Amino acid sequence: MSGHGAPVRRDRHRIRQEGRQRRRRTLWIAGAIAAVALLALGGAVTAALLGSDAPQAAPGTQEPEPIVFPEDEPAATPGAEPCTTVRVLSSFENAGMVERLAEAYAAEPRDVDGACVEVVTAKDKSGVAAEDAAVGFTEVDEDERPTLWIPDASSWLGVAREAGGSANVPESGTSIGSSEIVLAMPESLAAAIGWDEDPPTWAEVFETSEDEAVWEDLGHPEWGEFKLGKTSPLVASSGEAAMLASYGAAAGSVADLSAADIADDEITDEVRAHELATSHYMATPEHFLWHARQSEDSGGEAADFLSAVIVDEKSVWDYNRGISSRDGVTRTEGDPPAEQLVPIYPSDGYYVSDNPAVVLTGGWVSDAEDAAAQDFVRFAGTAQGQAVVRETGYRDLNGELDPDVAEVGGLAESADGGLPFPAPQVVVAMHDAFADVRKRAQVLFLIDVSGSMGDPIESGDTKLAAAKHAITLALDHFAAGDDVGLAAFSAADDGKITPGEVAPVADIVDTRDDFEQALGALKPIEWTPLYAAVDRYATEQGERFDPDRITALVLLSDGRNETAAPGVTEQQMLGTLEELHHSTPVLVFTLAYGADADVDTLRAISSATGAHYYDATDPTEVDEVLGDLVTSF
């Protein structure tokens, strides 16, 4: 962001710097102790990632001997049918590795207790899977519930157990591979700031992200402000790592972060200041990297969208070889980007995604399924399984990378600053605190109420009724201090946008009843003045722009621009969004609702503002899709 509000931001930055200088006078000793502790922690971290059976070094001794991975021992012939089904639930981030492991396991005959084995994979966001695990996957039929859960980090096991899932989720799992969670930067930016040669501490990362003049001072005003990308800590492991690192930096030690640190008012104030530098949150690392690639493909550069993003090493490898994903589900393979990402390993340590495999202990898991799942986990630790782990972009249980992966990703051959995620109570305390410290939102929901919104959908509701229900659920995401409003658009023959704003943008805690009453009163009308509505309400949101808030428009439309008379053109609308993007930025998140939605235009609208497009062309999925969207705030 540049221009509007710069003097206010500079003053805010000066105040923060003065506060940090005062704090450093009392924290430098803790920082020195943490540095020494990191050296001592090396062996302990390795042991934590490899599991309790890994060889461990005694204090003051050399690193443990590398594991010699056993050879796989498939059966001579498959067991009898029907096969025992092992349903494996992974995270979006590690799904490719888990799918390849399942393929490799199935390539050889398997016989577990006399039966053949079929491994079926599925994936979900880490936070969603943890919530489901905590309640025993009750929204899924018993014969469809997972047998084996492989989140990308052990932190989610603790989150699920702390939320009541101790009867379903074991306390710990068996790591099948790892990926460091690092700071990734376009290579020209990393070189300009010097972090490619001299990695910063996390405190330096967050301080830099709050300095709106950093690139200008380094001779690159064209890069704008320092744009730090973070995923939501309630959804993704990289988001957890980012928020925990923020608390650790404020507390003086990332390695020794405690629940007491998270409860500390002074530390909380500094973390809250860190969050003001966040443009917005996203659900997965792929969302950020997709936008960076889109910036380059549209004639710009990745720096137009981000300066740095906190992601896992595997995602850096994917990006550098031309793999991208708009939604974390579908993957697109293209040419490598013109400018590659450089992984930065902060000098005071970085968290590690350890990909723990846990056989769930809920009553739906039979003894036969348990045994078959254990055999699949055994295979993951064999020489053949670990080869798959390396080939899919992960470090094996010795911390080794495939040489080609390391070269393409620019990854450190050996990373010795890895930290296990903190104890479950620390992670849960951070989750609970996020609503308080996150950057507040200023959001206007803009809803299409054209005639087609009265059409019925498969659930039996009309499109509009289902949209109302989804928006009502989405309001639960917001908290005190979030300003949320509602506008709707259609037109009769006179072309005037109607009904317009029906609930003002105001603190949702105070106005929710009025918001829901206005939402409930909406009815389908006639025309679809899409371009005029976006042009008008994006401009109004721009007038409300506040650099300390995520200023956004959430557009839900089921059709194409159709009016009774000529009005605002697509080119005029996109011109308005482009102008706003460089003055008073408004993120326009678009949700294509129904099969007739103008997907191309909705994608163009979101891309022009650096926001994300969401697909609810199957209108029965609108609850889930809109719930995903609001994690950006």
Side-chain angles (χ1 to χ4, degrees), residues 268-463:
T268 296
D269 287 343
E270 187 162 331
V271 171
R272 190 178 290 114
H274 291 168
E275 293 308 295
L276 293 179
T278 304
S279 60
H280 59 292
Y281 307 93
M282 286 188 170
T284 68
E286 289 90 348
H287 284 71
F288 275 104
L289 298 181
W290 183 84
H291 278 288
R293 187 58 194 263
Q294 290 295 300
S295 293
E296 185 177 286
D297 290 348
S298 61
E301 53 184 337
D304 295 337
F305 182 73
L306 61 82
S307 300
V309 60
I310 299 170
V311 296
D312 58 285
E313 291 177 308
K314 190 264 185 184
S315 294
V316 178
W317 173 62
D318 275 345
Y319 184 88
N320 285 352
R321 65 195 178 108
I323 303 294
S324 61
S325 176
R326 178 187 57 77
D327 55 7
V329 179
T330 56
R331 294 161 60 83
T332 301
E333 184 172 356
D335 294 330
E339 181 169 31
Q340 303 234 310
L341 292 179
V342 175
I344 309 296
Y345 299 82
S347 59
D348 52 343
Y350 36 84
Y351 295 110
V352 177
S353 291
D354 58 336
N355 300 280
V358 291
V359 181
L360 297 170
T361 53
W364 66 89
V365 179
S366 69
D367 290 344
E369 291 167 341
D370 183 296
Q374 298 287 1
D375 191 59
F376 178 67
V377 175
R378 173 203 60 79
F379 168 76
T382 65
Q384 290 74 20
Q386 289 295 288
V388 171
V389 168
R390 292 189 298 272
E391 290 164 5
T392 52
Y394 288 82
R395 295 180 185 270
D396 68 16
L397 295 178
N398 286 321
E400 297 293 327
L401 286 164
D402 178 274
D404 289 338
V405 169
E407 181 179 0
V408 172
L411 308 178
E413 185 174 327
S414 61
D416 56 7
L419 301 170
F421 274 83
Q425 61 267 29
V426 180
V427 177
V428 171
M430 178 273 292
H431 278 221
D432 292 342
F434 179 60
D436 177 49
V437 300
R438 68 170 173 80
K439 191 173 183 178
R440 311 324 289 179
Q442 185 167 257
V443 178
L444 179 70
F445 284 89
L446 179 60
I447 312 303
D448 179 348
V449 289
S450 57
S452 57
M453 288 290 282
D455 293 345
I457 60 176
E458 187 177 339
S459 66
D461 287 329
T462 64
K463 286 182 183 177

Side-chain angles (χ1 to χ4, degrees), residues 444-450 453 463-471 486-489 519 528 530 533-534 553-559 588-594 597 602 614 616 619 621-623 625-626 629:
L444 179 70
F445 284 89
L446 179 60
I447 312 303
D448 179 348
V449 289
S450 57
M453 288 290 282
K463 286 182 183 177
L464 184 55
K468 290 178 180 180
H469 182 259
I471 293 168
L486 176 66
F489 69 95
L519 177 67
T528 313
L530 177 63
V534 172
L553 193 71
V554 175
L555 170 65
L556 184 152
S557 178
D558 81 328
V588 183
F589 296 88
T590 58
L591 191 154
Y593 185 48
L602 294 173
Y614 291 82
E621 297 179 354
V622 67
D623 285 0
V625 175
L626 189 57
L629 189 158

Side-chain angles (χ1 to χ4, degrees), residues 490-580:
S490 184
D493 292 339
D494 61 4
K496 180 181 178 181
I497 293 177
T498 186
E501 184 179 288
V502 294
V505 179
D507 194 320
I508 192 61
V509 169
D510 298 328
T511 62
R512 179 162 180 166
D513 288 346
D514 292 340
F515 182 108
E516 291 187 8
Q517 184 175 356
L519 177 67
L522 295 178
K523 297 179 180 180
I525 302 176
E526 190 172 356
W527 298 98
T528 313
L530 177 63
Y531 304 155
V534 172
D535 188 277
R536 171 178 167 180
Y537 290 107
T539 299
E540 290 187 5
Q541 278 293 84
E543 292 169 354
R544 299 184 180 104
F545 174 72
D546 179 349
D548 284 349
R549 291 178 177 272
I550 299 170
T551 303
L553 193 71
V554 175
L555 170 65
L556 184 152
S557 178
D558 81 328
R560 302 173 183 276
N561 188 77
E562 293 180 342
T563 59
V568 174
T569 67
E570 181 177 8
Q571 184 177 4
Q572 289 171 326
M573 172 194 66
L574 293 175
T576 295
L577 298 179
E578 180 71 18
E579 182 179 345
L580 288 171

